[in-house]
Amino acid sequence: YRCLHRYAPRLCYLLLYLCLSELRALPSRHISTGRELGQPSHFLLIAPSFIFWSNCSRRRIGLLDEMADSDFEDPFEMLGGMGQEEVYKVTLMEEATVESPAEPVPGSDLVADDSHQSAIGALPHKKSSARAPKELCNYLRQLELLLLDPEAVSLVPEAPSDLEKKLKADAAQVASLVIAARGGALDKLFQETWCAPLSEALSVNQGDLPSLRSALAECCSNLMGAAACPEIRSFGLLLVAICSLQLYLRANWTGPSCDWKGPFRLEEGTEANALEKSILDDLEMDGEPAYELLVGAGYLWLSLELLGLREGDLSPEFSETVPIWRSRASFVWQQSLAEASERGLGQSPSLFERSICDLVGQEGMPGSLCGPKLLDEECVEATRNVVVPVLQSMTRGNEEFQARSLAKRRVAAAEAPACVTALSEAPERTRAALIVELLVRLCWYGRTKPFEALVERACDVIDFMFQITGVMGIKRVYQTVEFAQLMVRAGRKSRQDKASLAKGIKGSGEAAATPGNLKLLEVDDMTDVMEAPKVSDSVSQTEKDLLELPLSSTEHVLLLARCHYLWVNGNPNDELLLQEVNALAQRIVVTEKSEKTAEAEDGPLLTANWLSFSGGLFYRCRAEHHRNKTRERAAFQLQSLVDQFKDEKPSAAHRLLLAHSAGYPARFHMQREMGMRMMRMGMVSTAHEQFKKLRMWPEAVDCLMVAERNVEAIDMVKDLLEKSPSPRLWCCLGDLEREPAHFEKAWELSNKRYARAQRSLGRHYFSKEQLDKAVDAFKLALDINPLHPGVWFTMGVAEMRLQRWEDASHTFSRCLGIEDENSEGWANLAAVHSQLGNLQQARTCMSEACKRARESWKMWESFLGICMQLRDIQGVIQALRRMTELDQGNRIPERVLGMVTMAIATDATGLYEGRTGKAFSNLLNDLFKYMADRFSSRAFMWRFWAALQDSRGENAEAFESRLKQNRVAQSQLWEEPDPERFTTKLSDLRECFKFLAESLADPDFAEASKSHRQPLLYSLQDAIKRLTVKVEAPGGALDEWKADLAALKESEKKIQSLL
């Protein structure tokens, strides 16, 4: 229906006429039984309900599911089920009037419910008169692309002159609001006549959330119904949604503070009223609550409602870039959750899907960014390889989530072609910024594998390149010797824009500035550290331009994405990583020599964009906290970044240009990081007060625990519980007192929605070895939010201990679907498959574990054991070599090396994959050569190598190996205190001498062995002498020793006979 309504509205309504006629003839049939009818044409019974009661996105998803379960999967294929005569009648009819029935079909579960009605694209109550002119659609597309532009825009294109007067006026009216919407100026939108009812509905209905939602839905429906042109009105509502989102970002991310008295309060530090508390509760997602001090959370809620994100996905009829704004709103929502962190905490699977999955799609379902001018096939495949397994893991075993996800992806797939078409016409900087947005989200969710492919694609779009490299120069004022300094080369690949980059831009003459950039000399006037390395004079001017010229805002966000990637993908305490981050940050904060012209409300600037420059300062703070010379500046700079939120200039419109692509943290996230830095610097009490002010109670409790003020921490939490009990506080108390009853209380208080309570309860039971209870608690938590690989892993370990091997296999599979870099997860899954007898799967899993933990000898030892069970000679040799490389040769079992050698020497059959032993002779010989270079103190290694060489016909080499075995064995034998081990080594020595004596007697080897006879005889006589002393010593000797002594004397006689 969506396709027909967009491209053939008249045919669509004529089709409805036939549907309604059949429905009247069969009043007892309705949507709940339409699937049971079994006739393709009876699908048409669904259409009237689909048309007249599809404003609710939740009901639309239900209808899509009905369509999917029918015999046909495509609406156009459904039309093919009609008879030829019926289709002919549809094409001949010129006009038909269809009125909405007063009541829904009896028994239908699609009862009209305005309380959950979505707004954008809601169907009008009367039939649209005609399709919008092509010129108008193209003009609206231009405006939509303008909303995505990351650069400042002062002029909006005029409406087409050939439009009707009314349409042109309406189009010009919404076009005049584009700049305001980009800047979050919702007050200007609400002053418009057509938008006044919406403002009034939000202001009047402040009693409770259901009534507010109902009023919003009714108002939007009326606006669409009364519109002369639904496309323009739909675009207007999109502007309201975007403006609400931008206003929320202004209030919590970029600033400056807004004093507008709108329908929702924007004041900081005020207690939430009943409606605001309801909104915060409604923003809870997958068991993760929203941060309780969000400013203007109502505007985020309004944006989500208008974009159809609260009750499921909605397909707007006329706006082509809505998928982009949905994904943006979803990621902002994700970052607004209380425990949201780029380190894996507080991540919502539903918001992960909406933020990323819908943009890249999956096989058969194209994403909104999949196109020749956006993401090429290589980038799409690389991204899907890390995204789709997570989605599959989340939906596996969760039928409700699976159905909801499938319906949403169908809607996204239907919208994707139009979105791709629109975005392909966008400027290069817009397309590059959208790819960077995807990069930032992938890094935030820890999916960093496709980073290189995506960042290369974004650079290609704008003809940009950057490289972290070493350049000769100095870093200190009085330094005289030049050393390589880590810097970033960045510029255009084609070098066509070098002149424009080098040229200064004349400004207004007013004092230009950058966002609170503290200099080292301002903090410490005695420092000799330069702000940035001074490049050597030997470096050419062209190279200096690549190192020192300022960059554009789009180029800034590319470097910020690299900073984000390094930060989340590495160890934040790794000094080399911090040096790379610092080099990137220093490249971002390079300023213009003369100020850039800007709007009066922005003031003159020395940088391309205020927010991207602030992002560079933020990462410079992170990179400087570990150095004594810069730690103080980093602390003050971080405080300056928090304080500049209230600065009046630049304007909010300028700050919001890159709010979605710069990856800049929210103000409360930055304040949290400042508190964490204080705690690490020893300012525990100050950090505690900071966290109390932010109402981040777990961090406040941590401060008191570090200060060994445990009793005070418990008293603080109990006092807070008396004033305002919440699930988070009960969990804090449970962590302090280690009392599971507190976690149970948090679970009940949240109406069994706070997943963290069950996670904590599961960990408590796991530590107490109550594994059955731990598994039950983990299952409850993961049913709500499965995006916790650590919990999956711990539950899998508990199931292994309970010997629930099938369950453990499923659990570890889910864990690895979310985090496939978990080497221990792969190893445990291999162990589970081994217990189940699935040795082939166990080998595959263990191979993946070894790829991810190549430095762990334990992984290779486990891999060795599985390969031995499979008789996989190649795998055994690979494991033995890697253990030798890791200096773990002493852990190589003699039995394993001997079995492999004998299998190859005897050309054993029935090996892994049907191969024979001789095929691996060269591999094993190379292994022995490598082992001989790394350690030569294992006598059995020389013995087995000699056996291999003998099977290869290398007699001279085998003789040399036996001589080395003899020397190693005698150096260790006589110091062995354990009689049993002495007997074993003596037996090996006896066999060695026997082999050597026989080799000397070989006629083919007689001439070459003359030089070895006398030295070997002396060695043998010394061994006989020592063994004789040991045999005749008090305490008695074993019978084996006497037999070995006799055998040694026999070998002595053979050698003497050759002299």
Side-chain angles (χ1 to χ4, degrees):
Y1 166 76
R2 181 169 57 253
C3 300
L4 287 174
H5 186 268
R6 177 175 292 179
Y7 299 110
R10 176 170 297 185
L11 176 62
C12 179
Y13 281 101
L14 297 180
L15 179 62
L16 286 183
Y17 179 79
L18 294 177
C19 297
L20 189 59
S21 300
E22 188 170 359
L23 181 64
R24 288 168 179 159
L26 302 168
S28 61
R29 299 181 181 181
H30 49 78
I31 189 170
S32 62
T33 59
R35 191 167 36 182
E36 301 173 0
L37 296 176
Q39 297 295 330
S41 61
H42 285 149
F43 162 75
L44 300 178
L45 299 183
I46 300 173
S49 297
F50 186 74
I51 298 303
F52 295 108
W53 301 302
S54 64
N55 289 342
C56 172
S57 59
R58 177 168 52 185
R59 283 172 276 143
R60 177 175 296 186
I61 290 172
L63 287 159
L64 288 172
D65 288 338
E66 292 286 342
M67 292 165 60
D69 292 337
S70 65
D71 295 334
F72 295 87
E73 297 180 356
D74 190 294
F76 293 102
E77 190 176 356
M78 299 281 187
L79 292 177
M82 298 173 61
Q84 182 177 1
E85 183 179 355
E86 293 174 337
V87 176
Y88 180 72
K89 290 179 179 179
V90 169
T91 57
L92 288 179
M93 296 179 67
E94 290 293 330
E95 195 72 40
T97 303
V98 182
E99 298 181 357
S100 174
E103 297 180 358
V105 181
S108 173
D109 58 346
L110 301 184
V111 180
D113 179 9
D114 290 338
S115 63
H116 292 141
Q117 192 176 29
S118 301
I120 297 180
L123 291 171
H125 292 293
K126 61 181 182 180
K127 181 173 69 71
S128 177
S129 59
R131 182 182 175 185
K134 182 178 179 181
E135 295 78 5
L136 176 61
C137 294
N138 292 336
Y139 179 64
L140 294 178
R141 177 181 293 178
Q142 292 181 35
L143 298 181
E144 289 190 56
L145 295 179
L146 191 62
L147 290 166
L148 298 174
D149 198 324
E151 298 287 347
V153 178
S154 57
L155 296 177
V156 178
E158 296 183 357
S161 58
D162 52 351
L163 288 178
E164 296 180 7
K165 184 176 181 181
K166 175 61 176 174
L167 287 181
K168 184 176 181 180
D170 291 344
Q173 184 182 26
V174 295
S176 65
L177 302 176
V178 168
I179 303 298
R182 280 163 51 103
L186 191 59
D187 53 334
K188 293 184 180 180
L189 268 71
F190 279 177
Q191 290 174 2
E192 297 294 322
T193 304
W194 65 269
C195 202
L198 182 60
S199 174
E200 183 179 357
L202 293 173
S203 301
V204 172
N205 296 276
Q206 294 277 323
D208 56 76
L209 195 60
S211 62
L212 180 61
R213 178 180 280 119
S214 177
L216 175 64
E218 182 180 359
C219 179
C220 292
S221 180
N222 292 337
L223 287 174
M224 291 297 299
C229 179
E231 289 86 349
I232 295 179
R233 187 54 47 85
S234 180
F235 179 75
L237 290 177
L238 175 63
L239 289 180
V240 176
I242 293 173
C243 193
S244 300
L245 180 63
Q246 299 292 85
L247 178 59
Y248 173 76
L249 284 172
R250 172 183 177 179
N252 294 276
W253 261 260
T254 64
S257 301
C258 181
D259 56 359
W260 177 52
K261 304 298 182 182
F264 305 106
R265 295 190 301 176
L266 292 169
E267 294 87 356
E268 299 180 33
T270 57
E271 288 295 327
N273 56 34
L275 179 62
E276 290 168 342
K277 289 180 179 179
S278 298
I279 290 175
L280 289 175
D281 292 340
D282 199 51
L283 291 178
E284 175 264 333
M285 176 57 77
D286 294 328
E288 303 294 338
Y291 177 52
E292 60 181 300
L293 291 185
L294 293 177
V295 179
Y299 294 105
L300 174 61
W301 175 87
L302 175 60
S303 178
L304 298 175
E305 287 285 337
L306 293 175
L307 292 172
L309 284 168
R310 279 302 303 126
E311 298 297 332
D313 285 326
L314 171 69
S315 289
E317 303 297 337
F318 311 114
S319 301
E320 296 178 346
T321 61
V322 166
I324 301 298
W325 287 104
R326 278 210 197 102
S327 65
R328 286 180 168 184
S330 299
F331 191 60
V332 171
W333 186 4
Q334 167 67 81
Q335 293 179 298
S336 302
L337 300 181
E339 298 178 359
S341 168
E342 60 195 8
R343 294 294 174 183
L345 298 177
Q347 295 182 355
S348 163
S350 299
L351 297 179
F352 168 80
E353 181 184 10
R354 297 171 183 178
S355 301
I356 298 177
C357 299
D358 293 343
L359 295 183
V360 296
Q362 55 182 301
E363 187 175 0
M365 294 183 178
S368 302
L369 293 184
C370 301
K373 293 186 178 181
L374 297 163
L375 297 181
D376 55 23
E377 294 182 1
E378 179 183 355
C379 295
V380 171
E381 182 179 2
T383 308
R384 287 177 179 176
N385 287 340
V386 299
V387 170
V388 174
V390 179
L391 181 62
Q392 292 174 344
S393 178
M394 292 187 299
T395 56
R396 190 183 301 130
N398 190 335
E399 295 181 359
E400 180 183 355
F401 189 91
Q402 185 175 10
R404 187 171 68 248
S405 174
L406 180 61
K408 289 187 293 185
R409 279 182 277 127
R410 286 184 187 136
V411 175
E415 294 170 347
C419 186
V420 170
T421 302
L423 295 179
S424 62
E425 301 173 3
E428 295 174 348
R429 60 178 182 267
T430 302
R431 287 182 273 127
L434 290 174
I435 297 174
V436 172
E437 283 185 39
L438 179 60
L439 277 171
V440 170
R441 295 172 201 169
L442 287 170
C443 290
W444 197 90
Y445 281 106
R447 317 294 155 190
T448 56
K449 281 187 177 181
F451 179 86
E452 296 297 341
L454 289 175
V455 78
E456 182 178 355
R457 176 58 182 162
C459 289
D460 289 342
V461 170
I462 59 173
D463 190 32
F464 178 67
M465 56 77 64
F466 69 92
Q467 179 185 19
I468 302 175
T469 184
V471 180
M472 296 302 294
I474 60 175
K475 182 62 176 165
R476 296 179 181 270
V477 175
Y478 304 108
Q479 183 178 343
T480 57
V481 180
E482 294 179 346
F483 294 98
Q485 306 292 331
L486 201 63
M487 300 184 72
V488 176
R489 297 174 68 253
R492 298 291 182 182
K493 291 181 180 179
S494 61
R495 306 288 180 88
Q496 295 176 353
D497 294 347
K498 190 178 76 170
S500 62
L501 285 173
K503 182 176 64 176
I505 303 176
K506 186 175 180 180
S508 61
E510 186 181 346
T514 57
N517 184 11
L518 289 180
K519 305 297 183 182
L520 285 170
L521 286 174
E522 296 178 17
V523 179
D524 180 10
D525 57 1
M526 299 294 291
T527 187
D528 65 337
V529 180
M530 295 181 176
E531 284 294 327
K534 182 180 179 182
V535 180
S536 172
D537 294 335
S538 61
V539 178
S540 66
Q541 185 59 43
T542 303
E543 188 71 12
K544 286 184 179 180
D545 290 344
L546 293 175
L547 296 169
E548 297 175 348
L549 285 180
L551 303 176
S552 68
S553 58
T554 309
E555 295 164 350
H556 279 175
V557 295
L558 275 165
L559 298 188
L560 286 174
R562 171 67 72 174
C563 291
H564 197 181
Y565 166 76
L566 292 173
W567 188 259
V568 301
N569 203 44
N571 181 3
N573 297 319
D574 182 357
E575 292 194 12
L576 181 58
L577 179 144
L578 294 176
Q579 289 292 337
E580 291 186 32
V581 172
N582 187 62
L584 290 163
Q586 292 288 4
R587 190 68 181 88
I588 295 171
V589 299
V590 173
T591 57
E592 299 278 357
K593 293 182 180 179
S594 59
E595 67 270 18
K596 294 172 66 68
T597 56
E599 298 293 335
E601 56 186 3
D602 295 335
L605 296 172
L606 289 176
T607 182
N609 185 272
W610 179 91
L611 193 67
S612 62
F613 192 94
S614 298
L617 295 178
F618 176 69
Y619 278 105
R620 192 182 71 180
C621 292
R622 283 183 160 182
E624 290 184 345
H625 273 292
H626 72 290
R627 297 181 58 197
N628 292 332
K629 289 278 188 178
T630 56
R631 181 180 294 121
E632 190 175 0
R633 195 264 291 272
F636 282 116
Q637 182 68 75
L638 192 58
Q639 179 65 57
S640 175
L641 289 175
V642 174
D643 294 341
Q644 72 177 9
F645 179 90
K646 298 181 179 180
D647 293 347
E648 294 184 0
K649 291 185 178 182
S651 64
H654 175 84
R655 301 186 189 198
L656 289 167
L657 291 173
L658 298 176
H660 299 282
S661 54
Y664 193 69
R667 187 188 184 195
F668 52 88
H669 287 156
M670 198 173 295
Q671 290 172 318
R672 178 187 180 278
E673 177 142 348
M674 190 167 63
M676 297 299 294
R677 296 294 177 187
M678 291 177 182
M679 188 166 63
R680 292 175 186 174
M681 294 172 65
M683 305 165 61
V684 180
S685 297
T686 306
H688 172 66
E689 294 300 324
Q690 172 88 343
F691 289 132
K692 283 178 62 178
K693 180 181 178 182
L694 296 172
R695 298 187 185 179
M696 296 180 177
W697 307 119
E699 290 81 359
V701 169
D702 289 341
C703 289
L704 295 178
M705 297 292 286
V706 170
E708 298 182 355
R709 295 155 59 183
N710 299 5
V711 176
E712 183 179 346
I714 294 174
D715 292 341
M716 179 191 73
V717 175
K718 288 183 175 178
D719 182 61
L720 291 169
L721 283 171
E722 291 179 1
K723 296 178 181 178
S724 179
S726 69
R728 290 189 73 197
L729 289 174
W730 277 111
C731 285
C732 287
L733 187 60
D735 292 335
L736 288 169
E737 297 185 344
R738 299 181 181 179
E739 174 56 54
H742 298 330
F743 301 127
E744 295 282 3
K745 179 66 177 177
W747 178 247
E748 296 297 331
L749 187 62
S750 66
N751 294 323
K752 301 182 179 181
R753 286 293 303 166
Y754 191 44
R756 196 261 195 183
Q758 288 298 331
R759 290 197 294 268
S760 300
L761 194 60
R763 294 190 183 100
H764 172 81
Y765 287 137
F766 185 83
S767 65
K768 299 297 183 182
E769 297 295 329
Q770 299 180 30
L771 301 180
D772 286 317
K773 292 184 177 180
V775 170
D776 293 339
F778 286 142
K779 285 182 178 179
L780 289 173
L782 293 170
D783 284 343
I784 298 173
N785 187 349
L787 206 60
H788 282 268
V791 179
W792 284 110
F793 181 85
T794 308
M795 187 171 78
V797 172
E799 289 170 338
M800 288 180 69
R801 294 182 183 178
L802 293 170
Q803 297 186 0
R804 300 177 183 174
W805 304 114
E806 292 289 350
D807 293 341
S809 174
H810 171 78
T811 300
F812 283 119
S813 298
R814 296 288 298 273
C815 170
L816 296 170
I818 299 172
E819 186 184 15
D820 69 340
E821 293 299 315
N822 188 340
S823 60
E824 294 181 355
W826 283 108
N828 284 349
L829 184 58
V832 171
H833 281 306
S834 181
Q835 288 289 337
L836 293 171
N838 305 325
L839 294 180
Q840 180 62 54
Q841 292 90 329
R843 184 195 184 283
T844 302
C845 294
M846 205 63 235
S847 177
E848 294 294 330
C850 291
K851 288 179 183 178
R852 291 159 174 78
R854 288 187 56 81
E855 304 303 317
S856 172
W857 63 267
K858 294 182 179 180
M859 295 293 182
W860 289 103
E861 190 175 53
S862 300
F863 182 65
L864 175 65
I866 293 174
C867 289
M868 285 296 296
Q869 295 182 65
L870 285 169
R871 305 189 62 176
D872 178 10
I873 301 298
Q874 185 173 356
V876 170
I877 294 174
Q878 180 187 5
L880 292 174
R881 184 180 182 91
R882 186 57 187 160
M883 291 180 69
T884 305
E885 292 173 352
L886 296 173
D887 294 327
Q888 298 297 325
N890 293 331
R891 297 184 181 276
I892 295 177
E894 179 181 352
R895 179 182 60 86
V896 171
L897 191 58
M899 292 176 65
V900 173
T901 304
M902 291 303 105
I904 294 175
T906 60
D907 196 18
T909 58
L911 300 180
Y912 184 65
E913 295 181 343
R915 307 181 74 177
T916 59
K918 285 293 184 182
F920 306 103
S921 178
N922 291 333
L923 280 178
L924 184 59
N925 194 53
D926 292 340
L927 172 64
F928 278 125
K929 289 179 181 179
Y930 185 78
M931 293 172 69
D933 292 337
R934 299 299 296 266
F935 65 96
S936 57
S937 60
R938 306 293 295 276
F940 68 82
M941 183 202 73
W942 296 108
R943 172 161 56 93
F944 294 138
W945 195 5
L948 177 66
Q949 291 167 334
D950 189 51
S951 70
R952 291 163 60 92
E954 301 171 351
N955 297 329
E957 289 81 358
F959 185 82
E960 290 292 336
S961 297
R962 285 292 189 175
L963 287 175
K964 293 176 181 178
Q965 176 196 352
N966 172 43
R967 288 193 289 268
V968 172
Q970 289 208 59
S971 67
Q972 299 174 351
L973 175 64
W974 311 115
E975 304 296 331
E976 180 58 58
D978 184 16
E980 185 176 351
R981 297 183 65 183
F982 179 85
T983 302
T984 303
K985 291 182 177 181
L986 180 60
S987 176
D988 292 340
L989 183 63
R990 181 201 67 201
E991 292 295 331
C992 180
F993 276 117
K994 181 181 179 180
F995 176 87
L996 292 171
E998 293 174 351
S999 298
L1000 291 174
D1002 186 355
D1004 297 333
F1005 194 61
E1007 189 65 29
S1009 63
K1010 286 182 179 180
S1011 60
H1012 296 290
R1013 293 173 184 174
Q1014 192 64 51
L1016 183 59
L1017 180 60
Y1018 290 152
S1019 176
L1020 177 54
Q1021 290 174 344
D1022 181 66
I1024 293 173
K1025 182 180 177 179
R1026 290 192 178 199
L1027 182 57
T1028 301
V1029 173
K1030 197 169 185 68
V1031 168
E1032 295 176 354
L1038 299 177
D1039 294 337
E1040 291 88 345
W1041 296 0
K1042 296 177 181 180
D1044 290 336
L1045 179 60
L1048 291 175
K1049 290 180 178 180
E1050 288 293 328
S1051 298
E1052 180 187 15
K1053 292 178 181 179
K1054 287 183 180 181
I1055 298 175
Q1056 285 178 339
S1057 66
L1058 298 174
L1059 295 176

